[in-house]
Amino acid sequence: MTLQTHITVLEAAPGRCEELGGYLRDLLEPTRRLEGCLTFELQRDRRRWQLLSRWRSSSDLERYFAEPLLQEVIGSAWRSGAIQQLQSRAA
C-alpha cells in the first residue's frame, strides 16, 4: 500500500469566509474517524480554506471521496454560494 496525500483548496465568496469555515469544520471529526485516515487538517489563509488529508491507501482515499457527509457538506456550501472556487489535487 502507498500512502496518499490530498489537498483541497476552497476559496470563499466575498463576505462568506466564516460561513464556509463552518461547513468545513463539520467534516473534521467524522473524517478523522474514517478507516485509513492518518491526518485530516483544516487551515485558513484569508479567504482560502485548505483541507489537507493523508490516507493509508488509495482505496481509503476513494472511500473518503464517496462519503455521503463529504458530498452533503461540499454540496450544501456550493449551493449556498459560500464557495467561489474549488481546487482538488493529489500531493
Side-chain angles (χ1 to χ4, degrees):
M1 290 187 197
T2 304
L3 293 179
Q4 300 290 309
T5 300
H6 191 269
I7 298 172
T8 302
V9 178
L10 302 102
E11 184 171 338
R16 311 280 298 270
C17 193
E18 290 305 319
E19 178 185 356
L20 178 55
Y23 281 107
L24 299 175
R25 284 183 199 97
D26 289 344
L27 292 173
L28 292 176
E29 290 309 313
T31 301
R32 288 175 178 155
R33 289 191 299 264
L34 293 176
E35 183 178 344
C37 180
L38 303 174
T39 303
F40 191 78
E41 300 172 6
L42 177 61
Q43 301 168 348
R44 178 183 176 185
D45 178 28
R46 300 177 198 220
R47 282 181 33 210
R48 288 195 177 124
W49 290 94
Q50 177 176 283
L51 292 170
L52 172 64
S53 61
R54 289 189 180 85
W55 300 88
R56 182 183 56 208
S57 69
S58 58
S59 60
D60 291 324
L61 178 59
E62 288 173 17
R63 276 195 299 277
Y64 158 67
F65 285 133
E67 273 295 310
L69 179 62
L70 175 66
Q71 304 302 319
E72 177 185 324
V73 167
I74 298 299
S76 293
W78 192 266
R79 286 187 301 277
S80 78
I83 297 173
Q84 182 170 321
Q85 184 177 14
L86 184 149
Q87 297 175 337
S88 184
R89 65 181 170 85

